[in-house]
Amino acid sequence: MARETLVVRYRTLGRTGLNVSVLGFGASSIGSQFRFVPENEGIRAVHAALEGGINLIDVSPYYGLTQAETVLGKALRNIPRDTFYLSTKAGRHDVNVFDYTEVGVIRSVEASLKRLCTDYVDLLFLHDMEFVPYEQVIGEGIPALFKLKEQGKARFVGVSGLPLTIFERTLADADLDVILSYCHYTLNDTTLLNLFPLLKQKNVGLVNASPLAMGLLTGKPLPAWHPAPEELREVCRRAAEHCARRGADLARLAVQFSVAHPDIPTTLVSTGSEANIRKYIRWIDEPMDENLLEEVLAILAPIRNRTWPSGREEYNTGVGA
């Protein structure tokens, strides 16, 4: 595939040494996680991402209940394996179905590798660990990751989730290579910055996800399942309307903002649309409107760093207070 002339920058992902594109491709959408995406459309979106210079693709068996991994495997089947980095997850299988046992995690990854048509993944995360008792995460899930790493089925391992406390806790107890955090380095929430000293101290790679806050920063109607309280939704709507009056797009500003921080190696965006991923790649090659940024941040100030609880109460002390 011929690459476009767009300038996609790359940064080092902590101790992994992987030189990852600042914009990564989140493959949840090609599993029809948010809307129905025909298989051929999803495959074209993956190819457009690679053609545009993106070299990190993240997926999970949870997305579309294995559909995303299946489609992604077909999209990557004829692409040289050394031209991209592949990330998947284990432990979450459905909305309320989790299996963090050693046997379950290993079985899940082996099934993922078959769907993805590969012998290994570059990054492997325990998926949404805040829904599982910490004792099981540390006692079974993480040891399973290290066993898979020893077997060569995963090059680097870590955990993912929403509450930032999960990272502080697991990084104190386990020598992880990477973490995946979402919705905490966006226009409305930059609390991920609080983790930077710890990540630097331990040289842990950071994958940032959802610069659009799962749709809050698009100006489009939100799905019923979105966990944000009404105040967050309303203020973000006002920010989107302000951008529209200025002939601008809040989503563009949001993507540019998240990608711009030099200490964030990569930020995942998810789409099942070829046109959208090409648009996102163009956006990060364009200058950010600093005046508009200042105006939008002022509008968002009343909800700055507000989030919502996720998972077990033990991980959410004080969240939403």
Side-chain angles (χ1 to χ4, degrees):
M1 297 180 297
R3 291 196 183 276
E4 299 183 6
T5 57
L6 299 170
V7 180
V8 174
R9 301 179 298 282
Y10 301 85
R11 296 177 183 140
T12 303
L13 186 63
R15 70 173 71 173
T16 72
L18 302 183
N19 203 30
V20 294
S21 49
V22 295
L23 193 68
F25 184 84
S28 56
S29 292
I30 68 173
S32 297
Q33 188 82 352
F34 309 106
R35 66 173 178 87
F36 173 70
V37 176
E39 183 176 288
N40 61 347
E41 184 179 337
I43 290 173
R44 287 197 303 270
V46 174
H47 290 171
L50 294 170
E51 290 165 7
I54 289 175
N55 69 356
L56 174 64
I57 303 173
D58 176 77
V59 71
S60 169
Y62 170 58
Y63 302 147
L65 305 181
T66 74
Q67 180 185 344
E69 285 190 333
T70 300
V71 174
L72 183 58
K74 292 179 181 180
L76 298 174
R77 186 173 293 157
N78 297 316
I79 309 297
R81 185 63 181 84
D82 61 354
T83 61
F84 60 90
Y85 299 124
L86 187 56
S87 165
T88 195
K89 308 180 187 75
R92 183 168 198 174
H93 300 279
D94 207 334
V95 175
N96 295 307
V97 179
F98 295 83
D99 186 350
Y100 269 52
T101 64
E102 182 174 302
V103 170
V105 169
I106 291 174
R107 184 186 297 129
S108 175
V109 172
E110 289 174 343
S112 289
L113 294 178
K114 290 179 181 178
R115 286 189 290 268
L116 293 167
C117 303
T118 186
D119 296 326
Y120 70 96
V121 289
D122 299 282
L123 307 178
L124 174 62
F125 298 94
L126 290 179
H127 199 171
D128 289 346
M129 64 159 278
E130 70 265 26
F131 289 89
V132 180
Y134 187 70
E135 295 72 22
Q136 189 175 33
V137 173
I138 284 293
E140 298 184 69
I142 289 178
L145 295 184
F146 284 116
K147 182 170 285 191
L148 288 159
K149 185 177 179 180
E150 290 171 4
Q151 294 172 354
K153 294 176 182 177
R155 295 176 64 193
F156 305 102
V157 298
V159 297
S160 76
L162 181 69
L164 295 179
T165 55
I166 66 175
F167 304 118
E168 297 170 353
R169 197 169 180 183
T170 50
L171 288 174
D173 293 338
D175 191 25
L176 301 176
D177 302 308
V178 285
I179 64 165
L180 191 158
S181 169
Y182 67 100
C183 289
H184 286 308
Y185 192 77
T186 62
L187 287 169
N188 60 294
D189 184 343
T190 58
T191 49
L192 185 58
L193 294 172
N194 298 332
L195 268 186
F196 281 15
L198 179 61
L199 297 178
K200 288 182 179 179
Q201 175 193 339
K202 293 181 174 292
N203 198 20
V204 171
L206 169 63
V207 177
N208 177 47
S210 200
L212 301 177
M214 299 193 299
L216 273 176
L217 300 173
T218 64
K220 298 177 181 177
L222 292 174
W225 54 259
H226 200 292
E230 181 55 36
E231 184 183 4
L232 268 71
R233 295 169 181 244
E234 174 58 30
V235 175
C236 288
R237 277 196 295 267
R238 292 205 297 268
E241 291 166 358
H242 175 78
C243 287
R245 287 193 295 270
R246 296 264 269 100
D249 187 335
L250 179 62
R252 176 180 182 269
L253 187 68
V255 170
Q256 290 178 326
F257 176 81
S258 292
V259 167
H261 199 294
D263 290 329
I264 295 180
T266 187
T267 294
L268 301 175
V269 291
S270 182
T271 180
S273 163
E274 175 185 1
N276 278 349
I277 195 61
R278 293 189 187 279
K279 176 176 66 177
Y280 295 151
I281 294 169
R282 284 198 303 274
W283 282 351
I284 67 169
D285 196 33
E286 298 169 350
M288 183 163 50
D289 186 331
E290 298 290 344
N291 290 330
L292 180 62
L293 174 63
E294 186 175 339
E295 294 164 5
V296 166
L297 291 179
I299 294 170
L300 296 175
I303 59 161
R304 183 169 178 78
N305 294 339
R306 287 271 302 279
T307 186
W308 49 85
S310 176
R312 297 169 64 87
E313 186 177 352
E314 64 185 279
Y315 300 111
N316 289 280
T317 303
V319 172

